[in-house]
């Protein structure tokens, strides 16, 4: 009996999508307004899901308090009210697209999740635009 437990979280961050090795014209063409040199912000919504067997003793797949604390410590504290390009090491050489942010979040959390459990990260960059990464 495998069950999925999910926790919602939130952070506000600024970013700019561009490649240093491209001209301003090419960056504008590919990234449009997201290439604004003075950055822009998003209210990111995050859903982190852990799938596994229900523990017979506790009745939990994962203690959701532990999951909430992991997200708070490793994601919200690292990203909230930060400029992803300038303040967060993970994006020094990685474009902070929703796709790449989701992968970075997954990699940060995966080490804390049991090997026999699956981790899934869904990141909303806007209420209508979201990406999902399951580690494959
Ligand atoms: Ni953006």
């Amino acid at each position: 009996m495998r069950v999925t437990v999910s926790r919602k979280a939130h952070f506000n961050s600024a970013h700019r999508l561009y490649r240093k090795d491209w001209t301003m014209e090419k960056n504008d063409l590919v990234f449009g307004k997201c290439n604004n040199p003075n950055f822009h912000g998003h209210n990111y919504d995050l859903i982190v899901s852990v799938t596994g067997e229900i523990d017979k003793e506790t009745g939990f797949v994962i203690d959701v308090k532990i999951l909430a604390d992991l997200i708070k410590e490793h994601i919200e504290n690292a990203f909230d009210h930060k400029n992803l390009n300038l303040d967060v090491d993970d994006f020094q050489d990685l474009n902070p697209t929703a796709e790449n942010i989701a992968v970075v979040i997954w990699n940060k959390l995966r080490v804390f999740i049991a090997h026999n459990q699956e981790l899934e990260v869904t990141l909303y960059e806007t209420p209508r635009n979201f990406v999902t990464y399951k580690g494959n």
Side-chain angles (χ1 to χ4, degrees):
M1 216 168 23
R2 293 181 76 77
V3 176
T4 300
V5 173
S6 298
R7 170 77 183 180
K8 282 188 185 176
H10 181 81
F11 55 91
N12 301 316
S13 304
H15 75 169
R16 175 190 178 190
L17 302 185
Y18 74 111
R19 291 190 60 96
K20 293 170 194 164
D21 57 333
W22 287 359
T23 63
M24 191 67 181
E25 288 70 29
K26 182 162 183 188
N27 274 301
D28 271 339
L29 194 67
V30 173
F31 298 117
K33 284 195 281 190
C34 292
N35 178 41
N36 173 20
N38 291 330
F39 306 94
H40 65 277
H42 290 282
N43 299 314
Y44 290 97
D45 276 315
L46 173 66
I47 301 173
V48 176
S49 299
V50 175
T51 300
E53 295 286 334
I54 299 176
D55 183 278
K56 284 188 175 62
E57 283 186 316
T58 62
F60 295 154
V61 170
I62 184 172
D63 183 338
V64 83
K65 172 75 166 69
I66 291 173
L67 184 59
D69 287 347
L70 285 173
I71 298 167
K72 175 92 182 130
E73 182 181 348
H74 298 282
I75 309 304
E76 291 175 298
N77 287 355
F79 293 176
D80 190 38
H81 286 73
K82 298 286 172 62
N83 180 312
L84 297 177
N85 301 75
L86 301 181
D87 300 330
V88 181
D89 286 345
D90 302 272
F91 302 107
Q92 292 305 302
D93 294 303
L94 183 67
N95 220 3
T97 60
E99 292 90 329
N100 282 333
I101 299 168
V103 172
V104 166
I105 291 171
W106 190 95
N107 284 330
K108 283 179 183 292
L109 295 178
R110 184 65 195 118
V111 292
F112 300 104
I113 304 300
H115 291 294
N116 58 355
Q117 297 182 326
E118 286 113 58
L119 175 66
E120 180 176 314
V121 165
T122 297
L123 182 70
Y124 285 77
E125 192 169 71
T126 73
R128 290 169 189 243
N129 297 342
F130 56 98
V131 304
T132 299
Y133 184 57
K134 303 174 190 178
N136 41 43

